[in-house]
Amino acid sequence: MAPDYRAGMTALDITEADGIVTVLLNRPAQRNAIDAAMIGEIHELCADLEAEPRIAIITGGTEGVFAAGADIAQLRDRGRADALTGINGTAFERIRRLPMPTIAAIDGYALGGGAELTYACDIRIGTPRTIFGQPEPGLGITAGAGATFRLVRLVGESVAKHLLLAGDKLTADRAFQVGLLHSIVEPSDLPTAATALAQKMQKLSPIALRATKLVTDADPAAHPQVDLLAQAMLFTDDEKHRRMTEFLSRREPPANPER
């Protein structure tokens, strides 16, 4: 048996139950700041979820901080070549492209790279104390790991530019209003809410779920052709026939015993 890739991890705590993978950002002393070690472990996680697709929940726990951004001490020492490599952005893009859905369960601050990690996920659940922010220009840099394009798609240009250019924060209520958060629950209920959503997805056809995510994320110019191709593939799948047959059998009226 191959050794468990999770055994040597220190920045992520990864557990799995009933086919749902839960990923805990695990640098509490650094407020879960995203450093090179965490990025390396995110790549290992993605390799596993690419090889064996499962639904994943990414969380910082319920201690009031999801992730306070990138590790500034490391970021300060990175040069032009590092920026062109896209150290954080490449890892987050890999999360975005995972075959099965990802859920970000966010309690407290999600700032800078921490916020960009949540934007790469498919769905975000927060708590009343969840706060998003992009402080990068105040540090002399841009939000270079996805906020400049993902946030625009998620909340629209006006709201995105307010965060990116004015340095203001987005509270949980406002994030829910603009659609960045799917729902808001109490911190103690966050793990249960995220798991319940993952379990709801898990009841669906896995191949249809993968195809739906792929088509939804496709470049707008690819529609509607990409939708038709995905549908054509699913129409010949045994899972489609089985599920539709079960649906129709539930709708058939019971036999009349008096006839």
Side-chain angles (χ1 to χ4, degrees):
M1 180 179 294
D4 189 343
Y5 76 98
R6 300 171 296 181
M9 288 188 167
T10 58
L12 300 180
D13 183 4
I14 302 174
T15 57
E16 182 170 352
D18 300 322
I20 297 170
V21 177
T22 299
V23 183
L24 173 69
L25 308 184
N26 192 33
R27 301 187 73 216
Q30 296 79 26
R31 304 179 72 205
N32 290 336
I34 300 169
D35 67 347
M38 184 180 288
I39 290 296
E41 292 178 11
I42 287 174
H43 280 294
E44 292 185 68
L45 165 71
C46 288
D48 178 48
L49 294 176
E50 289 161 355
E52 185 183 344
R54 285 103 78 207
I55 297 168
I57 299 168
I58 301 178
T59 184
T62 56
E63 302 301 322
V65 177
F66 176 81
D71 189 299
I72 301 300
Q74 290 187 4
L75 202 58
R76 181 189 59 185
D77 295 334
R78 290 177 184 171
R80 183 178 301 168
D82 297 310
L84 291 172
T85 301
I87 296 172
N88 290 6
T90 299
F92 298 168
E93 178 64 16
R94 200 169 177 185
I95 287 175
R96 183 63 184 172
R97 292 180 179 273
L98 286 172
M100 292 289 274
T102 52
I103 300 166
I106 311 154
D107 180 41
Y109 284 95
L111 305 178
E116 290 175 301
L117 173 56
T118 74
Y119 306 156
C121 294
D122 295 297
I123 298 177
R124 286 151 294 281
I125 298 175
T127 73
R129 58 190 182 188
T130 296
I131 294 178
F132 297 94
Q134 301 295 159
E136 287 88 351
L139 296 168
I141 58 175
T142 65
T148 55
F149 56 94
R150 288 200 184 97
L151 189 58
V152 171
R153 181 173 181 176
L154 288 167
V155 301
E157 182 177 337
S158 179
V159 176
K161 284 187 172 179
H162 194 189
L163 263 71
L164 292 164
L165 300 179
D168 285 347
K169 306 288 194 302
L170 203 63
T171 64
D173 286 341
R174 180 63 174 151
F176 179 73
Q177 289 173 359
V178 298
L180 186 59
L181 285 178
H182 163 271
S183 56
I184 300 172
V185 300
E186 290 301 317
S188 59
D189 296 329
L190 184 61
T192 302
T195 300
L197 180 57
Q199 290 172 335
K200 188 175 184 179
M201 293 177 176
Q202 202 174 39
K203 293 177 182 178
L204 307 178
S205 162
I207 187 65
L209 201 60
R210 290 180 63 173
T212 300
K213 174 174 174 173
L214 183 64
V215 170
T216 303
D217 285 344
D219 188 292
H223 297 284
Q225 289 80 8
V226 68
D227 304 72
L228 300 178
L229 288 171
Q231 196 74 299
M233 176 193 70
L234 293 171
F235 268 27
T236 60
D237 188 65
D238 290 342
E239 182 81 355
K240 169 248 189 181
H241 187 272
R242 180 185 67 79
R243 286 174 174 267
M244 288 190 176
T245 300
E246 290 177 355
F247 174 82
L248 291 172
S249 67
R250 291 195 297 270
R251 294 187 64 187
E252 291 179 359
N256 189 340
E258 296 181 358
R259 288 186 179 181

